[in-house]
Amino acid sequence: MENNAELQRFLEQEKQKAMVSEMVGKLTSVCWDKCITGTPGSKFSSSESTCLTNCAQRYMDMSMMIMKRFQSMQ
């Protein structure tokens, strides 16, 4: 019985890791396409940096809101 509970915890942790990895990949893709309009140089311009920061924050806020909504539905 204990092994089953450990397995369930492990599977849940792996599922969460996969979700975080997928979220980071999507965030990177969406924000890069939105904010980096030209060929990137050795560093981001201030407008690109601001755009990336704002985009990532909005993406994370929306993701948290969606997760909380799903949790409240369970």
Side-chain angles (χ1 to χ4, degrees):
M1 188 76 150
E2 186 176 316
N3 286 339
N4 192 29
E6 287 178 30
L7 179 60
Q8 289 300 323
R9 278 194 299 275
F10 174 77
L11 290 175
E12 186 61 32
Q13 289 173 343
E14 290 302 306
K15 181 179 172 185
Q16 289 174 357
K17 287 179 191 176
M19 287 172 54
V20 168
S21 179
E22 182 180 352
M23 183 185 301
V24 169
K26 285 182 181 178
L27 181 147
T28 302
S29 177
V30 167
C31 293
W32 183 272
D33 291 346
K34 178 179 174 33
C35 299
I36 311 302
T37 56
T39 303
S42 60
K43 63 182 186 174
F44 297 125
S45 70
S46 63
S47 62
E48 289 171 332
S49 184
T50 300
C51 180
L52 287 168
T53 300
N54 291 336
C55 180
Q57 187 62 54
R58 283 194 308 270
Y59 190 91
M60 295 302 290
D61 288 345
M62 286 302 298
S63 296
M64 291 300 293
M65 192 168 67
I66 291 167
M67 281 195 288
K68 286 179 181 178
R69 177 68 60 109
F70 280 132
Q71 287 175 346
S72 71
M73 296 168 88
Q74 293 179 346

